[in-house]
Amino acid sequence: MSFHTTYSRYYDLFYQEKNYNAEAAFVTELLGRYGIVGGHLMDLGCGTGRHAAEFAAAGFRVSGVDMSTDMLARADARRTTLPAAIAKRLSFQQGDARTVRTEEIYDAVVSLFHVASYQTTNADFMAMCHTAATHLPRSGLFLFDCWYGPAVLADPPDVRIKRASNDESAVIRISEPAMRPHENAVAVNYTILLTDRQTQHVETVLETHVMRYMFKPEVELMLDLSGFEVLDSVKWMGGALSAEDLSATFVARKR
Ligand SMILES: C[S@@+](CC[C@H](N)C(=O)[O-])C[C@H]1O[C@@H](n2cnc3c(N)ncnc32)[C@H](O)[C@@H]1O
């Protein structure tokens, strides 16, 4: 997995249409349903900090952690553009979701937009669950989404092309997935063509992101072994989870 400079530089451009405000509202509602209203959140795999900024605007204190210093640089840059009252509720630090220890206890740990699916082995995912458990009090919540296995198998990912541009660059991203059925994973091979709009110079970047699709029984087992009880599993952005949903959201409570 790699979220190095090129990918992180264009991450927000690729996902400019993603509605982080509505997503944060969905997560906030789900946390509230299970008793967490306001307080301090740990955001594992916070990326460029867009959910974190929305949570802070809604009144949470948020500590974002990501392994990619390039993604975090963008999160920090965004923070400086926010009103002071919101910015002061936000902090970001570099760390691995599997091993980071901030020495703080949070009201809830969230991990959004398939960060869990980047933990491709049971050991990796359980280490992330252990991190969440370590940073929560009894009854604290761990909320995350992942790529949902039944939907991935019913309709496997195909070659996709995504285009995005701003004043400086035009970016084309070709995604070529290769199934790894014995690992419940997909290696998504990205070819990113980056055109400087002024010089017309084209840079080509190749990246592979291996992502795991997950099934309810294994998630429940690994959460249980990590000290959590699963309270809910819903479709990402709400509603009953069905076999057609590519993203599942889990809410677990620390025992
Ligand atoms: C698809 S991005 C999601 C970022 C952000 N949560 C969002 O919704 O925009 C996945 C992020 O997870 C981070 N990540 C993946 N595995 C990680 C790990 N073990 N520890 C910390 N960060 C991780 C990557 O660096 C990347 O920023």
Side-chain angles (χ1 to χ4, degrees), residues 44-235:
L44 281 179
C46 61
T48 59
R50 287 178 68 189
H51 288 121
E54 296 288 348
F55 291 132
F60 287 99
R61 275 175 67 212
V62 190
S63 298
V65 175
D66 202 283
M67 65 177 9
S68 162
T69 50
D70 292 318
M71 297 291 267
L72 287 172
R74 293 186 179 268
D76 273 325
R78 179 188 322 286
R79 184 179 171 280
T80 63
T81 67
L82 298 172
I86 296 174
K88 76 170 191 222
R89 291 200 283 271
L90 272 176
S91 65
F92 297 104
Q93 73 175 77
Q94 203 263 338
D96 188 317
R98 296 165 295 184
T99 53
V100 69
R101 297 294 178 262
T102 66
E103 313 304 334
E104 287 205 63
I105 298 293
Y106 305 88
D107 298 288
V109 176
V110 299
S111 188
L112 306 173
F113 200 18
H114 299 171
V115 178
S117 284
Y118 280 92
Q119 315 316 310
T120 51
T121 66
N122 289 349
D124 286 340
F125 178 67
M126 285 187 64
M128 176 176 163
C129 294
H130 189 59
T131 296
T134 303
H135 292 90
L136 286 170
R138 199 158 175 260
S139 299
L141 298 185
F142 178 31
L143 185 157
F144 63 91
D145 66 283
C146 63
W147 220 6
Y148 193 45
V152 173
L153 292 186
D155 186 13
D158 212 344
V159 174
R160 283 178 61 186
I161 298 179
K162 189 163 186 167
R163 295 169 210 272
S165 61
N166 60 16
D167 289 347
E168 293 101 54
S169 321
V171 192
I172 299 174
R173 186 181 75 177
I174 304 162
S175 317
E176 295 174 282
M179 298 293 280
R180 294 187 178 175
H182 300 293
E183 296 161 43
N184 287 1
V186 182
V188 185
N189 298 299
Y190 289 119
T191 305
I192 301 169
L193 304 171
L194 207 54
T195 307
D196 181 314
R197 295 182 77 166
Q198 211 169 16
T199 63
Q200 294 302 307
H201 176 261
V202 181
E203 187 187 339
T204 306
V205 180
L206 304 178
E207 285 196 13
T208 298
H209 291 213
V210 181
M211 290 176 64
R212 170 186 187 162
Y213 44 91
M214 303 178 91
F215 297 86
K216 241 171 118 172
E218 59 171 347
V219 171
E220 284 166 356
L221 176 64
M222 287 189 276
L223 283 167
D224 182 44
L225 292 172
S226 309
F228 287 99
E229 165 200 7
V230 175
L231 297 177
D232 212 348
S233 49
V234 297
K235 175 180 176 164

